Amino acid sequence: MEARLTRFVAVAVLAAAVLIGGCGPGKPDPLLKERPTPAKAGGAIPVTPVEQPVDLASFRADPCSALKREDIAALVIDPPDRVKPSRADSPLTGCAWVIRDAPQLRVQIPAVKEKSLAGLTALSAGNQGTYSGWRELSIEGLPAAQYHLLGDMKSCAMVVGVSDDTALEFDYMYPDGVDSQYWGTDRCAGVLKAAELVIGNLRGR
């Protein structure tokens, strides 16, 4: 009896030591070994001609493949296992990476008639309430513009001219009470990184 009691006490002590030592179940390890580097945005460049166009054939075929698993970790949540990409085909072609307790990202071909950056630039001039804070820049050698869609400061959006007549739209939004794991409160840093990663993947890098 005394021997059984001694073994029971030993097992209980070992279990307590494991829990105190942090070896029990807890927060899953992140996929990324280090913080992602900020995107390298440049100054404004002409919207046409686009000197380094991007072929969107693979995006049209499978828009959700535009981000790799490690990209989703960098932009949405790390580890990214709970993120289930959602494809859209009508009225636009694109993909959304959305969960309730993390930043939300949408990438799409514009649904409006003006599908080029030149057309959207003209549209923004007459719709400043829709494209609040429109600011021209460049990313990955492509002309782009950054703005807050409908003046919503909880999101940062941008449009990138991938050819003379086609663009990609990016919208990076934070739900109430949520900040980004890697970008903090800087939504525009997140949307710039999203554009850099998607363009790089579409170019096969």
Side-chain angles (χ1 to χ4, degrees), residues 31-73:
L31 174 66
L32 302 183
K33 302 306 180 187
E34 56 187 31
R35 297 178 67 86
T37 57
K40 296 178 181 178
I45 60 177
V47 297
T48 55
V50 174
E51 301 291 347
Q52 303 175 52
V54 177
D55 186 351
L56 290 188
S58 63
F59 185 86
R60 294 179 191 277
D62 184 5
C64 294
S65 68
L67 287 180
K68 302 173 184 177
R69 187 165 179 261
E70 58 267 29
D71 302 334
I72 300 169

Side-chain angles (χ1 to χ4, degrees), residues 27-34 69 73 77-80 181-182:
K27 190 173 183 180
D29 292 333
L31 174 66
L32 302 183
K33 302 306 180 187
E34 56 187 31
R69 187 165 179 261
I77 195 168
D78 190 8
Q181 194 169 345
Y182 291 119

Side-chain angles (χ1 to χ4, degrees), residues 138-191:
S138 57
I139 187 82
E140 291 288 288
L142 298 169
Q146 194 176 84
Y147 54 94
H148 296 285
L149 189 62
L150 300 172
D152 186 357
M153 301 303 289
K154 294 177 184 175
S155 74
C156 189
M158 67 183 300
V159 58
V160 179
V162 295
S163 70
D164 288 355
D165 55 8
T166 313
L168 279 180
E169 285 184 326
F170 299 79
D171 186 25
Y172 192 64
M173 187 189 76
Y174 289 9
D176 287 336
V178 170
D179 287 339
S180 168
Q181 194 169 345
Y182 291 119
W183 310 106
T185 60
D186 193 346
R187 298 154 179 80
C188 291
V191 83

Side-chain angles (χ1 to χ4, degrees), residues 58-168:
S58 63
F59 185 86
R60 294 179 191 277
D62 184 5
C64 294
S65 68
L67 287 180
K68 302 173 184 177
R69 187 165 179 261
E70 58 267 29
D71 302 334
I72 300 169
L75 296 167
V76 183
I77 195 168
D78 190 8
D81 306 300
R82 292 191 292 121
V83 182
K84 306 300 181 187
S86 176
R87 175 174 177 156
D89 287 296
S90 179
L92 47 81
T93 297
C95 188
W97 293 264
V98 175
I99 58 174
R100 186 171 51 187
D101 55 351
Q104 301 172 358
L105 173 66
R106 290 176 175 82
V107 183
Q108 62 197 33
I109 296 172
V112 296
K113 182 179 179 180
E114 293 79 359
K115 296 187 183 300
S116 69
L117 179 56
L120 288 167
T121 299
L123 186 65
S124 72
N127 295 269
Q128 295 182 5
T130 301
Y131 300 94
S132 173
W134 182 273
R135 179 174 74 93
E136 295 182 7
L137 63 151
S138 57
I139 187 82
E140 291 288 288
L142 298 169
Q146 194 176 84
Y147 54 94
H148 296 285
L149 189 62
L150 300 172
D152 186 357
M153 301 303 289
K154 294 177 184 175
S155 74
C156 189
M158 67 183 300
V159 58
V160 179
V162 295
S163 70
D164 288 355
D165 55 8
T166 313
L168 279 180

